[in-house]
Amino acid sequence: MTINRLNEKLSPASTVPLKSVSIHDPFWTSYANLAREAVIPYQWEALNDRVEGAEPSYAIQNLRIAAGIEQGSFNGFVFQDSDLYKWLEAVGYRLSTHPDPHWEAIADEAIDLLEKVQLPDGYINSFYQINGLDKRWSNLTEAHELYCAGHLIEAAVSYYHATGKRKVLDIACRFADCIDNTFGTEPGKIQGYDGHQEIELALVKLYQTTGEERYMKLAAYFIDERGNSPAFFLDEFEKRGRTSIWSPNPHMPDNTRKPDLKYFQADVPVREQKHAVGHSVRAVYMYTAMADLAGLNNDPTLLEACRTLWKDMTRKQMYVTGGIGSTHHGEAFTASYDLPNDTVYAETCASIGLVFFASRMLRLEPKAEYADVLERALYNTVISGIALDGKSYFYVNPLEVWPHACSCNPGKHHVKPVRQHWFGCACCPPNIARLLTSLGEYIYTTDAASRTAYTHLYIGSEANVQLGDSTFKLSQTTAMPWSGSASFRLSELSGSASFSLAFRLPGWTNGNRPTVLLNGQPLADSAAEVRDGYLVITREWSNEDTIELTLAMPVLRLTANAEVRYNAGRLALQRGPLVYCIEELDNGSKLSSLAIKAEGDFATETNDNLLPGAIVLVGEGYRDTEVVEADQLYSSASIPQPEAAAIRAVPYALWGNRTPGEMSVWIRYRN
Amino acid sequence: MTINRLNEKLSPASTVPLKSVSIHDPFWTSYANLAREAVIPYQWEALNDRVEGAEPSYAIQNLRIAAGIEQGSFNGFVFQDSDLYKWLEAVGYRLSTHPDPHWEAIADEAIDLLEKVQLPDGYINSFYQINGLDKRWSNLTEAHELYCAGHLIEAAVSYYHATGKRKVLDIACRFADCIDNTFGTEPGKIQGYDGHQEIELALVKLYQTTGEERYMKLAAYFIDERGNSPAFFLDEFEKRGRTSIWSPNPHMPDNTRKPDLKYFQADVPVREQKHAVGHSVRAVYMYTAMADLAGLNNDPTLLEACRTLWKDMTRKQMYVTGGIGSTHHGEAFTASYDLPNDTVYAETCASIGLVFFASRMLRLEPKAEYADVLERALYNTVISGIALDGKSYFYVNPLEVWPHACSCNPGKHHVKPVRQHWFGCACCPPNIARLLTSLGEYIYTTDAASRTAYTHLYIGSEANVQLGDSTFKLSQTTAMPWSGSASFRLSELSGSASFSLAFRLPGWTNGNRPTVLLNGQPLADSAAEVRDGYLVITREWSNEDTIELTLAMPVLRLTANAEVRYNAGRLALQRGPLVYCIEELDNGSKLSSLAIKAEGDFATETNDNLLPGAIVLVGEGYRDTEVVEADQLYSSASIPQPEAAAIRAVPYALWGNRTPGEMSVWIRYRN
């Protein structure tokens, strides 16, 4: 039994709070600016239905109707409120790092609206407040009430930390109290949980912000209850007369409406789950809360479940781009090694949730494996999700695109060769915004017990670090992801102090130990310890101490496990955290006719048109001769021969920002 | 304008009627026996709902209810009647070649039932007769009334030719008269056509059998009317209140029900159609009738449309196995070069329809290209559709199967690694049965004008040929598809006569002229003409003349047009008419790890366990070393290296008859 095997005391590390980290980084500043200057304003217009040509959001309108300010009916998805909450969360992060009275005033106005919507018992949900409160809590499976509540709570916590204003935090607490009064094992309460996990991780944040233990216990209740028998979702399905929001047609067979428990990760209790299954965003949001609770409750069984699910997800079901969810049917995981490149889903939101989960695991166990995956998701699928102008988005992040097939084959209609503007189901854009505006939270953690400050991500920044009784500023300067150097400087330390600084040794260094200079002098290997993928330097530190790291950044030729049939005979290119891809614009059409040399060097070139400072790769390869006549499909005349051709690869994160065309991550090789 | 460009007089060739051809062929006799001894009896049980474990058909029950013999409601698909008709058509063919009082009695019983079902005005359709005649002809788009009528007519023609009994032919004529009274451009008639083409080709057969010109004109009316503006299906949709049989939910948006005209090949008039679009079976059934009518009406515009659609379909959208229809969404064509191997549809029925269309084109223009495609479809996708025991069937004929992905990925749920028993929508099994039992019709045609008897297929058989005023018996003996020899002997000729015998030079001979012996002596090249892919020998023939052909049957390495991205770096193997594939049982799992040598010979081995006399191919190839550790997904450690491995390939037609596992037609190659 895992319970007996584990005998460890968990002492989760702390994040360095967002307010204490400011990012100054050529690469990331542009993304953060995008979120601040383009995404948040655009989304505010969208939430207010003022974007011409975009599908209306109805989010604000619904809330105004619920508040009695306007007349009308509910529009949009049942979870439409959450779009405003995610936006508000992003605004909170933005104000934490870049205070701005204009956006604070707009946010306050939105919060005033929420105050008006809130019922005396704390409940807020425009769908049920407009369509009939008698039905509230009657369809947890589908109606997203607790999901929306969770996003409200996350927004409240973010905004409170940014501004110190309690109004929205109080609104969130009242709603959380309402939920606490409604759900649980006590008689008279609903012994259930939400169809879309989110409330759990949000309640953890609310507990961490307010210190109110009931919120943490409520989060633990939702996690512990999930998947028990008899199945709550099936009971609920029967109780509400086998109806479904999504398939209201009573003439359709029941099995089109009956909840698929695996989709909701509710088929077995979470501690018994061995494989990542079902809707991928639901999954990673749940795993995030599980990891939070494992640490907070020192719960080794939950930690073991997290490790099991982590391994299954990242070592059996994750794309090389950090994408998860192989199928658009249910936006879901399929099973081990089923990672098709062209019919993939790999939703942007799922990789954002993977960043959340990875960051929680990293707090529990500072192992570079977690940060490697976090970085892989962040630098590839997450930022691939947003155009360089911040105005269009990918929901689906394919690894292979042939625009002709995407348009003509319904099995690929979900795969878009160009980013799309605001969506009816607008989950990804605000999710990107909240991640980009809170990026500072993911760079560092501190472990007071071992007096260690960890650097997980190489992102230029200044962090005010509290480590036990020591405080100091750690300034990081880096040219990543374009080259492997990162410099650190200590300041604002009172006198000197003994502690450890730990720097991640990314997997992409391919095992090369970095060059390390301490105050300009080479650091002896013996003066640093390598622990779980981190270079740990323990010494008496003083102000103005500097560490200069040079990490090897070779161009990696990645091959996939042979179980992944789709990638046989192919390799992927990676340099630093960036996975590369080939695009039609640089390589001509019929990318599948190209093959790359299995060995040999790549030239790196700067392509400022793609993004200032962007490095592209140029390698030797081949293009198959065309042997079949244009008006024929098949020929036995001869086999294509390889002719020398240069292969130009660009960072996957930047694909689709120029002339639309074919794209491929996995490239055939010849050896 | 095409009308001006064409200036040719069509003189379609004739088929040698089924009754005049008897098949004696080691390969095909077993399939014909299967159809006769296993399929027809099994399907009769199925039609009567007596197959344990199979979904009930309800076909007979519905008709009994419609006839007033039983009480009850309609069950099954709206087109369920057609299953009986297709079965009856097959029984007719069977009785043509193998008279049998037992099955004739059973068929007569079914015909008696149909007589009881038929209304005084000639109408027969159990769905509307049970559910309300007031609604008949109100939903041509979806309800398949004329489709069912077409299959009744085909059955009637088949059964009449077999037995000379007129009863079912009279039933069919009465129904055809009813349809003729109902449809047309005259005032008071419905100016429409069926959602599923079939009636058109059936009416042609009825005309050819009865000589009644109205039936041919009615067929031409349906073809000429189709796709005109305003769109009949859209008008009908409005008239019936925007309802749909398939999506009865009135709360769903209209666009889920509104007919997609392309799906029905009704977006533009047939003569303006340039691409094969929509539901693939509907398409090829329509093209078949178009080709029939082009010949009957000497209509060059229709011929030109047939040629255009033929080229588009076979040179842009056809799998190397002769499968058509790239997507299961609508069982449809997608567009040029979109031929995914693993999410393919390639319905068995569609390839059967392709055989129909090809045979009609061959009558119009005896060009080997048509017969090559006919043969490709027949020897690969069509017979792949049926298990060697005749008891299970493929609807979908994939070119690449990984059973794990088929079960875990919803985008591949339609692809089955093993053949299935009777289906609720049982179109393919009876379609295979009627093709296998009528195979004799596809081997020979005669062109009286040029006094030429064509041999299109190399299938051991005896044919009683009528060529103008000459009659003779042509006896064919062949070892195909396993080796390239075919011998022909003339007999029963009165005296001697001058005419031409034309023998197809299949594409798979790769341009090698065959060895030809005339009466045991080599035939000089100058004594035969090669015309449109046929070797034409014109001389004064006498009884006991023999022709011995030896066709080269090399193992072909086929490559696909580079536009077909899916097949880049891969080749397919073909020998004679048979396309080959590799199966897991012979090659181990992870077939994608295998690559075949781009050059070099193959050994041919006999594998009697697969099928007596079956030739399998053994070639040199490689298996990639596995370089990624079992518990990892990706690695940059090294690139897989090729290790020598034998590649064993079996005929695609026979795949899936042993231990289920992976299968692939397109195999990576190394050069």
Side-chain angles (χ1 to χ4, degrees), chain B residues 285-298:
Chain B
Y285 282 15
M286 179 175 85
Y287 305 158
T288 301
M290 286 165 62
D292 278 335
L293 291 163
L296 289 173
N297 292 329
N298 194 27

mmCIF file with all atom_site columns, all heavy atoms in Angstrom, chain B residues 285-298:
data_model
loop_
_atom_site.group_PDB
_atom_site.id
_atom_site.type_symbol
_atom_site.label_atom_id
_atom_site.label_alt_id
_atom_site.label_comp_id
_atom_site.label_asym_id
_atom_site.label_entity_id
_atom_site.label_seq_id
_atom_site.pdbx_PDB_ins_code
_atom_site.Cartn_x
_atom_site.Cartn_y
_atom_site.Cartn_z
_atom_site.occupancy
_atom_site.B_iso_or_equiv
_atom_site.pdbx_formal_charge
_atom_site.auth_seq_id
_atom_site.auth_comp_id
_atom_site.auth_asym_id
_atom_site.auth_atom_id
_atom_site.pdbx_PDB_model_num
ATOM 1   N N   . TYR B 1 285 ? -22.967 5.894  -57.255 1.00 0.00 ? 285 TYR B N   1
ATOM 2   C CA  . TYR B 1 285 ? -24.224 5.394  -57.818 1.00 0.00 ? 285 TYR B CA  1
ATOM 3   C C   . TYR B 1 285 ? -24.741 6.380  -58.884 1.00 0.00 ? 285 TYR B C   1
ATOM 4   O O   . TYR B 1 285 ? -25.235 5.977  -59.927 1.00 0.00 ? 285 TYR B O   1
ATOM 5   C CB  . TYR B 1 285 ? -25.281 5.199  -56.724 1.00 0.00 ? 285 TYR B CB  1
ATOM 6   C CG  . TYR B 1 285 ? -25.134 3.941  -55.879 1.00 0.00 ? 285 TYR B CG  1
ATOM 7   C CD1 . TYR B 1 285 ? -23.963 3.189  -55.867 1.00 0.00 ? 285 TYR B CD1 1
ATOM 8   C CD2 . TYR B 1 285 ? -26.194 3.495  -55.084 1.00 0.00 ? 285 TYR B CD2 1
ATOM 9   C CE1 . TYR B 1 285 ? -23.841 2.048  -55.081 1.00 0.00 ? 285 TYR B CE1 1
ATOM 10  C CE2 . TYR B 1 285 ? -26.088 2.352  -54.296 1.00 0.00 ? 285 TYR B CE2 1
ATOM 11  C CZ  . TYR B 1 285 ? -24.910 1.642  -54.294 1.00 0.00 ? 285 TYR B CZ  1
ATOM 12  O OH  . TYR B 1 285 ? -24.809 0.519  -53.514 1.00 0.00 ? 285 TYR B OH  1
ATOM 13  N N   . MET B 1 286 ? -24.598 7.651  -58.575 1.00 0.00 ? 286 MET B N   1
ATOM 14  C CA  . MET B 1 286 ? -25.043 8.652  -59.550 1.00 0.00 ? 286 MET B CA  1
ATOM 15  C C   . MET B 1 286 ? -24.177 8.620  -60.802 1.00 0.00 ? 286 MET B C   1
ATOM 16  O O   . MET B 1 286 ? -24.695 8.652  -61.924 1.00 0.00 ? 286 MET B O   1
ATOM 17  C CB  . MET B 1 286 ? -25.002 10.048 -58.933 1.00 0.00 ? 286 MET B CB  1
ATOM 18  C CG  . MET B 1 286 ? -25.428 11.140 -59.897 1.00 0.00 ? 286 MET B CG  1
ATOM 19  S SD  . MET B 1 286 ? -25.517 12.770 -59.126 1.00 0.00 ? 286 MET B SD  1
ATOM 20  C CE  . MET B 1 286 ? -23.823 13.317 -59.244 1.00 0.00 ? 286 MET B CE  1
ATOM 21  N N   . TYR B 1 287 ? -22.875 8.555  -60.616 1.00 0.00 ? 287 TYR B N   1
ATOM 22  C CA  . TYR B 1 287 ? -21.996 8.535  -61.792 1.00 0.00 ? 287 TYR B CA  1
ATOM 23  C C   . TYR B 1 287 ? -22.299 7.322  -62.669 1.00 0.00 ? 287 TYR B C   1
ATOM 24  O O   . TYR B 1 287 ? -22.217 7.389  -63.896 1.00 0.00 ? 287 TYR B O   1
ATOM 25  C CB  . TYR B 1 287 ? -20.514 8.487  -61.380 1.00 0.00 ? 287 TYR B CB  1
ATOM 26  C CG  . TYR B 1 287 ? -20.053 9.577  -60.439 1.00 0.00 ? 287 TYR B CG  1
ATOM 27  C CD1 . TYR B 1 287 ? -18.912 9.405  -59.652 1.00 0.00 ? 287 TYR B CD1 1
ATOM 28  C CD2 . TYR B 1 287 ? -20.750 10.785 -60.321 1.00 0.00 ? 287 TYR B CD2 1
ATOM 29  C CE1 . TYR B 1 287 ? -18.471 10.390 -58.792 1.00 0.00 ? 287 TYR B CE1 1
ATOM 30  C CE2 . TYR B 1 287 ? -20.316 11.780 -59.445 1.00 0.00 ? 287 TYR B CE2 1
ATOM 31  C CZ  . TYR B 1 287 ? -19.179 11.570 -58.667 1.00 0.00 ? 287 TYR B CZ  1
ATOM 32  O OH  . TYR B 1 287 ? -18.743 12.535 -57.802 1.00 0.00 ? 287 TYR B OH  1
ATOM 33  N N   . THR B 1 288 ? -22.637 6.208  -62.039 1.00 0.00 ? 288 THR B N   1
ATOM 34  C CA  . THR B 1 288 ? -22.973 5.002  -62.788 1.00 0.00 ? 288 THR B CA  1
ATOM 35  C C   . THR B 1 288 ? -24.157 5.262  -63.714 1.00 0.00 ? 288 THR B C   1
ATOM 36  O O   . THR B 1 288 ? -24.124 4.944  -64.912 1.00 0.00 ? 288 THR B O   1
ATOM 37  C CB  . THR B 1 288 ? -23.307 3.866  -61.809 1.00 0.00 ? 288 THR B CB  1
ATOM 38  O OG1 . THR B 1 288 ? -22.169 3.634  -60.978 1.00 0.00 ? 288 THR B OG1 1
ATOM 39  C CG2 . THR B 1 288 ? -23.675 2.588  -62.525 1.00 0.00 ? 288 THR B CG2 1
ATOM 40  N N   . ALA B 1 289 ? -25.180 5.883  -63.159 1.00 0.00 ? 289 ALA B N   1
ATOM 41  C CA  . ALA B 1 289 ? -26.366 6.189  -63.983 1.00 0.00 ? 289 ALA B CA  1
ATOM 42  C C   . ALA B 1 289 ? -26.022 7.208  -65.057 1.00 0.00 ? 289 ALA B C   1
ATOM 43  O O   . ALA B 1 289 ? -26.515 7.133  -66.186 1.00 0.00 ? 289 ALA B O   1
ATOM 44  C CB  . ALA B 1 289 ? -27.491 6.699  -63.084 1.00 0.00 ? 289 ALA B CB  1
ATOM 45  N N   . MET B 1 290 ? -25.174 8.166  -64.710 1.00 0.00 ? 290 MET B N   1
ATOM 46  C CA  . MET B 1 290 ? -24.779 9.168  -65.705 1.00 0.00 ? 290 MET B CA  1
ATOM 47  C C   . MET B 1 290 ? -24.093 8.493  -66.893 1.00 0.00 ? 290 MET B C   1
ATOM 48  O O   . MET B 1 290 ? -24.363 8.820  -68.059 1.00 0.00 ? 290 MET B O   1
ATOM 49  C CB  . MET B 1 290 ? -23.839 10.206 -65.073 1.00 0.00 ? 290 MET B CB  1
ATOM 50  C CG  . MET B 1 290 ? -24.547 11.182 -64.146 1.00 0.00 ? 290 MET B CG  1
ATOM 51  S SD  . MET B 1 290 ? -23.368 12.124 -63.084 1.00 0.00 ? 290 MET B SD  1
ATOM 52  C CE  . MET B 1 290 ? -22.419 13.018 -64.311 1.00 0.00 ? 290 MET B CE  1
ATOM 53  N N   . ALA B 1 291 ? -23.216 7.552  -66.589 1.00 0.00 ? 291 ALA B N   1
ATOM 54  C CA  . ALA B 1 291 ? -22.506 6.861  -67.668 1.00 0.00 ? 291 ALA B CA  1
ATOM 55  C C   . ALA B 1 291 ? -23.481 6.020  -68.483 1.00 0.00 ? 291 ALA B C   1
ATOM 56  O O   . ALA B 1 291 ? -23.429 6.000  -69.722 1.00 0.00 ? 291 ALA B O   1
ATOM 57  C CB  . ALA B 1 291 ? -21.392 5.995  -67.090 1.00 0.00 ? 291 ALA B CB  1
ATOM 58  N N   . ASP B 1 292 ? -24.395 5.337  -67.808 1.00 0.00 ? 292 ASP B N   1
ATOM 59  C CA  . ASP B 1 292 ? -25.427 4.578  -68.520 1.00 0.00 ? 292 ASP B CA  1
ATOM 60  C C   . ASP B 1 292 ? -26.178 5.483  -69.492 1.00 0.00 ? 292 ASP B C   1
ATOM 61  O O   . ASP B 1 292 ? -26.360 5.143  -70.666 1.00 0.00 ? 292 ASP B O   1
ATOM 62  C CB  . ASP B 1 292 ? -26.454 4.026  -67.509 1.00 0.00 ? 292 ASP B CB  1
ATOM 63  C CG  . ASP B 1 292 ? -26.008 2.737  -66.836 1.00 0.00 ? 292 ASP B CG  1
ATOM 64  O OD1 . ASP B 1 292 ? -25.182 2.003  -67.418 1.00 0.00 ? 292 ASP B OD1 1
ATOM 65  O OD2 . ASP B 1 292 ? -26.497 2.465  -65.712 1.00 0.00 ? 292 ASP B OD2 1
ATOM 66  N N   . LEU B 1 293 ? -26.610 6.620  -68.971 1.00 0.00 ? 293 LEU B N   1
ATOM 67  C CA  . LEU B 1 293 ? -27.449 7.513  -69.780 1.00 0.00 ? 293 LEU B CA  1
ATOM 68  C C   . LEU B 1 293 ? -26.652 8.201  -70.879 1.00 0.00 ? 293 LEU B C   1
ATOM 69  O O   . LEU B 1 293 ? -27.188 8.459  -71.968 1.00 0.00 ? 293 LEU B O   1
ATOM 70  C CB  . LEU B 1 293 ? -28.123 8.552  -68.869 1.00 0.00 ? 293 LEU B CB  1
ATOM 71  C CG  . LEU B 1 293 ? -29.189 7.953  -67.943 1.00 0.00 ? 293 LEU B CG  1
ATOM 72  C CD1 . LEU B 1 293 ? -29.530 8.901  -66.801 1.00 0.00 ? 293 LEU B CD1 1
ATOM 73  C CD2 . LEU B 1 293 ? -30.453 7.608  -68.745 1.00 0.00 ? 293 LEU B CD2 1
ATOM 74  N N   . ALA B 1 294 ? -25.373 8.463  -70.616 1.00 0.00 ? 294 ALA B N   1
ATOM 75  C CA  . ALA B 1 294 ? -24.529 9.034  -71.667 1.00 0.00 ? 294 ALA B CA  1
ATOM 76  C C   . ALA B 1 294 ? -24.550 8.113  -72.885 1.00 0.00 ? 294 ALA B C   1
ATOM 77  O O   . ALA B 1 294 ? -24.663 8.568  -74.027 1.00 0.00 ? 294 ALA B O   1
ATOM 78  C CB  . ALA B 1 294 ? -23.104 9.231  -71.156 1.00 0.00 ? 294 ALA B CB  1
ATOM 79  N N   . GLY B 1 295 ? -24.448 6.809  -72.613 1.00 0.00 ? 295 GLY B N   1
ATOM 80  C CA  . GLY B 1 295 ? -24.449 5.847  -73.712 1.00 0.00 ? 295 GLY B CA  1
ATOM 81  C C   . GLY B 1 295 ? -25.814 5.700  -74.343 1.00 0.00 ? 295 GLY B C   1
ATOM 82  O O   . GLY B 1 295 ? -25.952 5.750  -75.578 1.00 0.00 ? 295 GLY B O   1
ATOM 83  N N   . LEU B 1 296 ? -26.825 5.549  -73.512 1.00 0.00 ? 296 LEU B N   1
ATOM 84  C CA  . LEU B 1 296 ? -28.167 5.305  -74.046 1.00 0.00 ? 296 LEU B CA  1
ATOM 85  C C   . LEU B 1 296 ? -28.664 6.485  -74.858 1.00 0.00 ? 296 LEU B C   1
ATOM 86  O O   . LEU B 1 296 ? -29.325 6.304  -75.881 1.00 0.00 ? 296 LEU B O   1
ATOM 87  C CB  . LEU B 1 296 ? -29.149 5.027  -72.896 1.00 0.00 ? 296 LEU B CB  1
ATOM 88  C CG  . LEU B 1 296 ? -28.974 3.690  -72.183 1.00 0.00 ? 296 LEU B CG  1
ATOM 89  C CD1 . LEU B 1 296 ? -29.886 3.632  -70.964 1.00 0.00 ? 296 LEU B CD1 1
ATOM 90  C CD2 . LEU B 1 296 ? -29.283 2.535  -73.148 1.00 0.00 ? 296 LEU B CD2 1
ATOM 91  N N   . ASN B 1 297 ? -28.365 7.697  -74.399 1.00 0.00 ? 297 ASN B N   1
ATOM 92  C CA  . ASN B 1 297 ? -28.866 8.891  -75.071 1.00 0.00 ? 297 ASN B CA  1
ATOM 93  C C   . ASN B 1 297 ? -27.825 9.533  -75.974 1.00 0.00 ? 297 ASN B C   1
ATOM 94  O O   . ASN B 1 297 ? -28.025 10.635 -76.463 1.00 0.00 ? 297 ASN B O   1
ATOM 95  C CB  . ASN B 1 297 ? -29.346 9.918  -74.040 1.00 0.00 ? 297 ASN B CB  1
ATOM 96  C CG  . ASN B 1 297 ? -30.587 9.427  -73.325 1.00 0.00 ? 297 ASN B CG  1
ATOM 97  O OD1 . ASN B 1 297 ? -31.383 8.689  -73.921 1.00 0.00 ? 297 ASN B OD1 1
ATOM 98  N ND2 . ASN B 1 297 ? -30.747 9.819  -72.077 1.00 0.00 ? 297 ASN B ND2 1
ATOM 99  N N   . ASN B 1 298 ? -26.707 8.855  -76.124 1.00 0.00 ? 298 ASN B N   1
ATOM 100 C CA  . ASN B 1 298 ? -25.636 9.389  -76.962 1.00 0.00 ? 298 ASN B CA  1
ATOM 101 C C   . ASN B 1 298 ? -25.349 10.845 -76.565 1.00 0.00 ? 298 ASN B C   1
ATOM 102 O O   . ASN B 1 298 ? -25.381 11.754 -77.386 1.00 0.00 ? 298 ASN B O   1
ATOM 103 C CB  . ASN B 1 298 ? -26.051 9.290  -78.430 1.00 0.00 ? 298 ASN B CB  1
ATOM 104 C CG  . ASN B 1 298 ? -24.859 9.506  -79.335 1.00 0.00 ? 298 ASN B CG  1
ATOM 105 O OD1 . ASN B 1 298 ? -23.721 9.228  -78.937 1.00 0.00 ? 298 ASN B OD1 1
ATOM 106 N ND2 . ASN B 1 298 ? -25.108 10.005 -80.524 1.00 0.00 ? 298 ASN B ND2 1
#
